[in-house]
Amino acid sequence: MSLFDVFNVSGSAMNAETIRLNTTASNLANAESVNGDATKVYRARHPVFQAVMNSEMGLDDAADASSGVRVMGVVESTTPPVQTYEPNNPLADKDGYVYSSNVNSIEEMANMLSANRSFATDVEAINTARDLLLKVISMGH
Amino acid sequence: MFENIFGIHEQALMVQGQRMGVLAGNLANADTPGYKARDIDFAAVLSQSQGDTALPLAATDSAHITLGGTDPATGDVKYRNPYQASLDGNTVEMPIEQAAFSETNVRYQASLNFINTRISELTLAINGS
């Protein structure tokens, strides 16, 4: 366990936050997607984070003191899609309804801000560790 | 003569580095549901590494869990008491973790400075100019 672990730990967190940003981008892009079939319409996707201990990351650490992050999986929101009556829409079903995705744009924007801030914090941690290690290397000069 | 020329700072660097790793883990898991924030009690680990140990609990069975690390290099990592835990069970509080992280940063640099000064002093003593 040393300062070098910060790179692995924060790096894994940056990777997880990137996946979160990707799903947010995908959700926002598909916020207006419609489909004539309620089961086939796009559903909001969210990653589920999980702490991963150092020993699992292959780091030699008996104490398992610090832990990184991994994305355990991506789950689809179970909120029902929004049903709208649009008989002129070519995608409408036989009753004239279309179903739009259950993406909540405001929620996604908040998610994006949170991911952005977490990512920035991880970058800051890596920069700090790097600066300190560079100082250790130049010790005595 | 050259035994332990850096005094406490040698061990301090090690513990601070370790603490930084733990805090980075907390920052990394700020959005992980159920993650419990952890920290190292720097004063406790340092006094332990200086030989000032409290009476340890005897482990007489393989199922006994040792309280706190006996090795100063691994330190004893403890869970943090949150001011207000989130509903998802996560106890990472960003401002507290960030403050602790910068504090560790400053302490680490302070120890480095002490060591560097010591090296300069010794170099001066050796060269005589």
Side-chain angles (χ1 to χ4, degrees), chain A residues 1 63 65-66, chain B residues 14-23 26 37-46 48 71-80 97 100 103-104:
Chain A
M1 229 325 263
S66 60
Chain B
M14 219 156 64
V15 179
Q16 299 291 11
Q18 192 202 356
R19 187 174 183 216
M20 217 150 201
V22 174
L23 293 174
N26 288 346
R38 294 173 296 178
D39 199 358
I40 291 172
D41 186 353
F42 180 68
V45 176
L46 203 60
Q48 206 177 56
D71 179 10
T74 55
D76 38 354
V77 183
K78 289 173 181 149
Y79 289 110
R80 199 193 285 294
E97 300 303 335
E103 185 204 331
T104 316

Side-chain angles (χ1 to χ4, degrees), chain A residues 42-64:
Chain A
Y42 181 89
R43 285 169 184 274
R45 281 151 200 217
H46 297 116
V48 179
F49 288 177
Q50 188 187 37
V52 41
M53 290 303 158
N54 263 346
S55 49
E56 289 180 71
M57 286 166 81
L59 298 174
D60 180 28
D61 180 23
D64 248 352

Side-chain angles (χ1 to χ4, degrees), chain B residues 28-120:
Chain B
N29 284 288
D31 302 314
T32 308
Y35 179 84
K36 308 292 179 214
R38 294 173 296 178
D39 199 358
I40 291 172
D41 186 353
F42 180 68
V45 176
L46 203 60
S47 69
Q48 206 177 56
S49 70
Q50 295 292 297
D52 177 24
T53 43
L55 271 183
L57 289 175
T60 52
D61 190 281
S62 58
H64 285 171
I65 300 164
T66 42
L67 274 176
T70 45
D71 179 10
T74 55
D76 38 354
V77 183
K78 289 173 181 149
Y79 289 110
R80 199 193 285 294
N81 281 327
Y83 289 97
Q84 191 177 21
S86 346
L87 267 180
D88 63 2
N90 187 303
T91 63
V92 178
E93 285 156 324
M94 268 303 200
I96 289 166
E97 300 303 335
Q98 282 168 331
F101 195 84
S102 24
E103 185 204 331
T104 316
N105 182 11
V106 172
R107 284 179 187 270
Y108 197 95
Q109 296 202 38
S111 287
L112 270 182
N113 269 341
F114 273 111
I115 290 177
N116 275 332
T117 315
R118 193 86 180 105
I119 292 174
S120 313

Side-chain angles (χ1 to χ4, degrees), chain A residues 5-79:
Chain A
D5 283 358
V6 175
F7 295 111
N8 294 302
V9 166
S10 295
S12 70
M14 281 161 71
N15 183 42
E17 298 296 349
T18 309
I19 292 174
R20 189 174 167 202
L21 271 178
N22 273 333
T23 56
T24 303
S26 163
N27 289 346
L28 283 174
N30 284 290
E32 305 299 331
S33 296
V34 290
N35 202 308
D37 188 345
T39 56
K40 284 183 184 159
V41 71
Y42 181 89
R43 285 169 184 274
R45 281 151 200 217
H46 297 116
V48 179
F49 288 177
Q50 188 187 37
V52 41
M53 290 303 158
N54 263 346
S55 49
E56 289 180 71
M57 286 166 81
L59 298 174
D60 180 28
D61 180 23
D64 248 352
S66 60
S67 43
V69 190
R70 82 164 145 232
V71 175
M72 206 168 63
V74 177
V75 293
E76 287 195 336
S77 166
T78 51
T79 317

